[in-house]
Amino acid sequence: MRMRSVFGKIFAQGLWMPAAVLFMGSLSIGLMIWTDRINEKQRVDYVVQGALMDVQIHTSVFHLWLEEFIGGNPDVDIKSTWKEFERSVGLIEAILEGGETDHGVLLEPLKNPRSRAQAEGIKASLMDLKEVAQERLRAPELSGITSGLNRRFDIIFEEVLTRTAALEKVVEARRVVNQTNAKNLFAGILSVWTIIVIVVVSGLLTREVRRKKSEKELLSAHNLLKTQAGELEGRTVELQTLNEQLNLEISERKQADEEIVRLNSDLAARAIELEGVNRDLEAFNYTVAHDLRKPLTVVIGYCQAIQEICGGKLDKACKDFLLEAQDGTWRMSRLIDTLLNFSRITHSELLREPVNLSVIAKEVAAELKAAEPARRVSIMIAEGLSATGDGNLLRVVLDNLLGNAWKYTAAKEEAVIEFGVAETGSGPAFFVRDNGAGFARDDVDKIFLPFQRLPEADEFGGFGIGLATVDRIIGRHGGRLWSDGEPGKGATFYFTLP
């Protein structure tokens, strides 16, 4: 009660205005101090980002000079080259533990766990780079373009630049957040003082007017309340009846709302999972389409250039090495195409229409025989097999299953491949059977996983993605895929389509 009387006197005497000004002024001063701290954080992030750019520059100069030194350039000073590398290491240690940059700016130790982990990864990659560089200097004759030591050096160098760029992005994102916060706080300060001016001016102009007006309004409100009190007494009985009905409806709606909340929570969780999967797939597609193809193109181009320029000067061993390098890059390019096709299967629109599987199987068999006409293979295809589904995707299924049977019967003098339908415990199912290499029953769970190739399958080639593609397509159709086999006695793959 005493507090109420004190506040009442303050407002009655007009003392609330200076009190409001004092409060808002104190708040604005606090915001200014906070803004200054945010600007300091932003400045530190600028310095860290500059240091990371220096790391990239010094590492790139080290890479370039070392390549020229090993390549036989007599003008390269190896001591200066190592100084560039040590400057990169020193900058990373300054970022991690605090210290002075190349420009004489002092840094505090990096505290953010995520940023420290990335900076420590950069430092570890630099140490690996140093180790490989020392090996190359000890044995420069092993640093040719096709050597594993040179490839390892280039991979680690790219890893340093990639990790440094990733940490730069984290610092830049944090700097942008700090900049946005500083702008928002500055806008808040302006808003605070604008409110102060508006409050003071409006209070001075309207205080007397409101006082007189409030007296009249209070008198009118008093009379009105008397009238409404009588009306409220008459409505009390009606409200009690409505209250009972509302309680019943509220209990029913509460149960419905709880069920809706639970369903919405489940949907939100699934949506987050799908968003994560889509982001991973998009990142994967971008990496395959851009980051992986570029170095392959460079390697192929260098190999072709060496063949054209130095083909007559190379001995047989060097030519064989060059051919192996080209063959490896072409295999990697085909693997990239295979991965892209596997990814597109998930995102392609599924069409449902009648499909004649027997006709598709005959077309695939004809293509296989035309590719290897010398092989003695008996392919038996049942007539009139049809299903409902996406014709293009089902062709991919038969292409992979029949191609798989063709591949794993290569060692048989009389190979037999069969496509038909059979009754199983869960109903009729299509099957592709062969008398090829087969597989152990313990490996059944592995053969449909991407890149999970069986040890004995290495002699048959491939990338281990075909059966995973079949499993993905059959799953999208709502069907089921399973297999049965025995080493040396062939394998059978079953699939159902609804």
Side-chain angles (χ1 to χ4, degrees), residues 65 81 88 101 104 117 163-164 177 222 257 291 320 366 393-394 447 462:
W65 287 2
T81 302
S88 297
T101 66
R163 290 184 173 180
T164 306
V177 171
H222 180 70
D257 289 343
D291 297 341
D320 291 341
L393 294 181
L394 292 180
I447 59 178

Side-chain angles (χ1 to χ4, degrees), residues 221-409:
H222 180 70
N223 296 330
L224 180 61
L225 286 173
K226 287 183 178 180
T227 303
Q228 290 178 347
E231 294 176 356
L232 287 174
E233 289 177 355
R235 294 181 181 178
T236 301
V237 177
E238 296 177 2
L239 289 175
Q240 289 177 350
T241 304
L242 291 174
N243 189 37
E244 294 176 356
Q245 296 177 356
L246 287 174
N247 287 335
L248 180 61
E249 292 179 1
I250 288 172
S251 62
E252 295 175 354
R253 289 186 179 181
K254 186 176 181 180
Q255 294 178 355
D257 289 343
E258 291 175 352
E259 182 66 18
I260 291 173
V261 169
R262 186 185 64 79
L263 293 175
N264 287 337
S265 178
D266 294 341
L267 289 175
R270 293 296 302 277
I272 292 173
E273 291 177 2
L274 291 175
E275 287 179 0
V277 171
N278 288 333
R279 284 195 300 269
D280 292 342
L281 287 176
E282 290 174 0
F284 169 78
N285 288 335
Y286 180 85
T287 300
V288 170
H290 299 278
D291 297 341
L292 293 183
R293 287 189 182 277
K294 183 176 179 180
L296 288 179
T297 304
V298 172
V299 173
I300 292 174
Y302 276 128
C303 290
Q304 292 176 348
I306 292 173
Q307 283 184 334
E308 293 174 2
I309 297 173
C310 307
K313 301 178 182 180
L314 300 176
D315 57 13
K316 184 178 183 302
C318 292
K319 290 181 180 179
D320 291 341
F321 291 153
L322 204 57
L323 290 176
E324 289 181 5
Q326 284 184 303
D327 181 66
T329 52
W330 284 118
R331 278 181 55 81
M332 177 62 76
S333 180
R334 291 196 299 273
L335 176 59
I336 291 172
D337 293 335
T338 303
L339 292 174
L340 286 173
N341 292 332
F342 181 73
S343 177
R344 292 191 188 103
I345 288 173
T346 303
H347 294 85
S348 62
E349 183 179 358
L350 186 66
L351 301 177
R352 293 193 179 273
E353 57 186 1
V355 180
N356 192 324
L357 298 179
S358 297
V359 173
I360 296 176
K362 290 179 181 179
E363 293 174 356
V364 174
E367 293 172 0
L368 293 172
K369 290 182 177 180
E372 297 184 68
R375 284 190 57 183
R376 299 173 62 183
V377 182
S378 175
I379 302 179
M380 297 176 290
I381 300 174
E383 297 290 342
L385 301 183
S386 61
T388 299
D390 191 307
N392 293 328
L393 294 181
L394 292 180
R395 181 180 180 85
V396 174
V397 169
L398 292 178
D399 193 16
N400 277 283
L401 291 179
L402 291 173
N404 193 68
W406 181 275
K407 178 171 61 177
Y408 283 92
T409 56

